[in-house]
Amino acid sequence: MNKYELVYIIAPDVDEEGRKALRERVNDLIVRDGGEVIKVEDWGKRRLAYDIKKESEGFYVLFYVTCEPACVAEVDRVMKITDEILKHMIVRSDEKGAANE
């Protein structure tokens, strides 16, 4: 299994209950596909560098996970079709730091 970092931005008009439900949905999706959520960081509401879908602010959430590439593909697919998510990015974490190379 590989380590990944998943960050996504939730639309600012989504209430706290909706944001919590969305975090649980992503968590359940990862666990259901055999992955493990290591840590979740809620960064709160922040101003965006540029407007996304006519929004200038959004709620940032960061997941640290371990899972298989098929799980990542499914999470990516679901996030693309979820209206409350303005933008998302999934990157593979490198075990070795750049300074070790």
Side-chain angles (χ1 to χ4, degrees), residues 2-4 27 30 35-40 63-66:
N2 301 318
K3 290 186 177 186
Y4 295 92
N27 188 35
I30 292 166
E36 177 187 356
V37 175
I38 299 167
K39 184 178 178 183
V40 179
F63 274 73
Y64 295 97
V65 301
T66 57

Side-chain angles (χ1 to χ4, degrees), residues 35-57:
E36 177 187 356
V37 175
I38 299 167
K39 184 178 178 183
V40 179
E41 293 180 8
D42 190 352
W43 291 353
K45 191 174 192 178
R46 296 185 180 209
R47 184 147 184 78
L48 304 175
Y50 54 89
D51 286 359
I52 302 172
K53 297 181 183 177
K54 299 184 180 179
E55 299 290 352
S56 61
E57 294 181 321

Side-chain angles (χ1 to χ4, degrees), residues 47-81:
R47 184 147 184 78
L48 304 175
Y50 54 89
D51 286 359
I52 302 172
K53 297 181 183 177
K54 299 184 180 179
E55 299 290 352
S56 61
E57 294 181 321
F59 292 94
Y60 284 71
V61 180
L62 174 66
F63 274 73
Y64 295 97
V65 301
T66 57
C67 62
E68 297 295 333
C71 174
V72 172
E74 178 63 13
V75 170
D76 185 53
R77 184 191 71 78
V78 169
M79 291 201 151
K80 285 179 182 175
I81 61 174

